[in-house]
Amino acid sequence: MSLAIRRTTELIGAAKWFLRRDSRVLSTLPEKVEEPPAELTSKRYRRRFFQNEAILETRHAYPEFLPDPNPNWRNSLREKLERADMLERRSQIDIPEFYVGSVLAVTISDPHAQSKTNRFVGICIERKGCGLRAEFTLRNVVDHQGLEVRYDLYDPTIQSIQVLRLEKRLDDKLFYLRDALPEYSTFSFDMDPEILPEGTPIPVNPVQVKLKPRPWLERWERQELKGVSNIEEHLKEKDRVRRELRKTPWEKYDLMKQYRKTIPIEDQSKIWAEVHNQLQQLQMARKKSARKRTFTTPKTQLG
Amino acid sequence: MDNLKVLCSKLIKLRVDHIVTRSAKFTVKYRPPHWYAPKVNVVKDDDLTQDNMQFIKEVISDRNDSQQELESPLVQSISHTSQQWLPTTRRVGLIARKIGNYPVWSNNGKKMQTTLLQVVDNHVIKYIPPEEFKPMLTTERNWREKRKLGCMLVGSETINPSTVTKDYCGLFNSVGMLPKRHLRRFMVSPEAALPTGTPLFATHFRVGDYIDIRAKTIDRGFQGVMKRWGFKGMPASHGVTKTHRRPGNIGSGGEKARVWPGTKMPGHMGNRWRIIRGVKILRVNTKYNVLWTLGVAIPGETGAMCYLFDTVLPLRKLKSSPPFPTYFPSDDLPVEYYDECVHPFSDPTLTFEET
């Protein structure tokens, strides 16, 4: 009996955790997570419900497995072939779970480099694209010079993608780092990976950056950014008036717009059912190798 | 009585001055080929009972089965009669559907955009030898034309016979096939002829070969001069009013004080037949009959039908014998064929050697 009680509390905790996680605009479900009915009659139903939820949770970790929602470009066979190719590539290289705001180190093979490889460390400021077209952008400041490198996620010249710090930020895109003070996007190349204890939810970094004075690359004040602290300092009265005029508060009620931007839950569960097993296996293999790595003896450094 | 007299006098005065007769020069300018028949049949099945519907379904499924039985002996009979391929022979083509684009990486690490073409349920419907083949007349006469090529009809995607007209259905009935949604002709050499019912697969083409693709471009409707012809338009500001996307002047004065023929103007854009020539095949999937072709310039939107055939470009023509007259199904096939330049996703990560 006590065991059963403990399990239920765990399940409730899990459900709360699902609710807390923010959903990405593209390639997601509507934000509401369906609550299981209050009086759960059968255990089997409950298990299936949470299993399904767990499968759907993978959409945050692997957003590129969902196709582009534009109906003009969709074709079930193409999507299937594309997913098979993605899994084949994933069997060759460990592509970890990461989010916008995570700090990554990417090593690619470069024919023009001296050592034929090139390593870059930076904060992921954008993730976009579906299927094999998925790409991400890393930003860093090296020698007072801002650098941004865009990588294709499934490019076979990528030798390794290492997550140095796994976390999220308050916004979906961090383009405002370009106009922020350089210390917010400076990361040293010999940064050590920070390992999160297993099973913890992805931490959200609540840091709010300070913008440099104008001119800016974009009109940040109109974008309702949460991760910027001093935007009001740099605005004139004219900008505030224009911001009010440009607001589109009705768009969050536009159900059609939301529908057009998302893949329906029925389609998603089909897709995840197809790839979930293989992704799970790859994840298990990754965990095993990670455990092995921790027990290796550190290299003796000379000189 | 008076009225009648007046009428008679009027009638007497009438004369026939001008008689219109058909001149001897009169020719039919357009005559569709004899195998062309209007396709879509709008059926109202209000007057069909449930039993009748059931009966129709049964008949269709029976015919489908009988057709599948029909295929196998034919295929075996041709595979024995192997003809010789020559660089001058023209093989049959394929009907494919454009199903999308995605990138593929080459062996030197370059990203290549590809278009995926799915070959859907293609069958040879009929072969018309060159002597019997009489194409439609056009206004442009080609006097030098010698009819050396026969006409091969290829169909794709079997459909329910009750949804098409009797004429269209009869065309397939006469050869014992079920009607197809898409029917297309390919001009072939007589030695490349195939019997009715031969299935065609994506392996008809090999990786590394070049093909020509004929399809209808995306229909963009009535478009202005900037989108249709890439004109520059006019400035957005600096006192310009009411003329930002207009063509501007369309002619000069004097002798040429008129609009010259062929002047680029607004009009309907797209929905035209276009051929893109010399497209390389990078990869073939034999399970789903999908071809990966280099580039994204294949005309038409996703889901459009394309017609593929061996290229006619002199430098990219086939050099060695392809599967001739076509590929005959066999069981032991690899699922994927890759061109030499393509890096398969299942291969290990690309690394560059130090030289």
Side-chain angles (χ1 to χ4, degrees), chain A residues 205-262:
Chain A
N205 189 350
V207 70
Q208 288 196 319
V209 302
K210 276 188 178 171
L211 292 187
K212 287 189 278 192
R214 288 173 134 184
W216 293 334
L217 290 164
E218 287 175 47
R219 290 174 173 129
W220 306 117
E221 75 273 10
R222 291 185 188 174
Q223 298 184 9
E224 295 178 5
L225 300 171
K226 290 171 202 154
V228 183
S229 62
N230 65 339
I231 220 161
E232 295 295 327
E233 288 171 19
H234 303 295
L235 295 188
K236 291 175 193 163
E237 191 50 40
K238 185 181 80 179
D239 301 321
R240 295 201 181 91
V241 171
R242 295 255 167 95
R243 173 171 65 185
E244 287 307 310
L245 289 174
R246 292 281 175 155
K247 267 185 183 167
T248 50
W250 56 85
E251 269 187 5
K252 64 184 171 193
Y253 303 113
D254 194 343
L255 290 178
M256 271 322 285
K257 193 167 184 180
Q258 197 185 3
Y259 175 74
R260 274 189 230 112
K261 278 187 172 177
T262 51

Side-chain angles (χ1 to χ4, degrees), chain A residues 111 114 116, chain B residues 352-355:
Chain A
Q114 191 91 55
K116 303 291 166 195
Chain B
F352 301 106
E353 296 290 308
E354 283 190 55
T355 49

Side-chain angles (χ1 to χ4, degrees), chain A residues 80 85 92 109 132-133 156, chain B residues 101-102 283 288 346 349-350:
Chain A
K80 198 175 171 179
D85 280 348
Q92 294 300 321
S109 26
L132 289 167
R133 255 171 277 189
Chain B
N101 313 91
Y102 70 65
R283 181 175 161 188
Y288 297 106
S346 51
T349 303
L350 277 171

Side-chain angles (χ1 to χ4, degrees), chain B residues 21-29:
Chain B
T21 51
R22 275 191 169 183
S23 66
K25 275 187 174 178
F26 184 83
T27 49
V28 185
K29 281 193 177 167

Side-chain angles (χ1 to χ4, degrees), chain A residues 12-76:
Chain A
I12 289 162
K16 272 184 188 167
W17 181 60
F18 290 139
L19 283 166
R20 231 182 293 136
R21 297 190 70 171
D22 58 330
S23 61
R24 291 164 54 114
V25 178
L26 195 95
S27 67
T28 50
L29 311 167
E31 282 187 26
K32 258 187 232 161
V33 177
E34 210 180 302
E35 274 282 349
E39 68 285 347
L40 286 169
T41 44
S42 69
K43 254 184 193 173
R44 191 181 293 164
Y45 171 78
R46 190 164 48 177
R47 197 185 301 148
R48 200 191 297 154
F49 177 83
F50 281 107
Q51 212 171 10
N52 197 24
E53 279 300 303
I55 288 176
L56 284 173
E57 267 311 297
T58 41
R59 74 183 193 270
H60 297 294
Y62 308 103
E64 74 275 5
F65 274 91
L66 293 179
D68 197 305
N70 186 343
N72 294 347
W73 300 336
R74 290 200 62 182
N75 180 290
S76 57

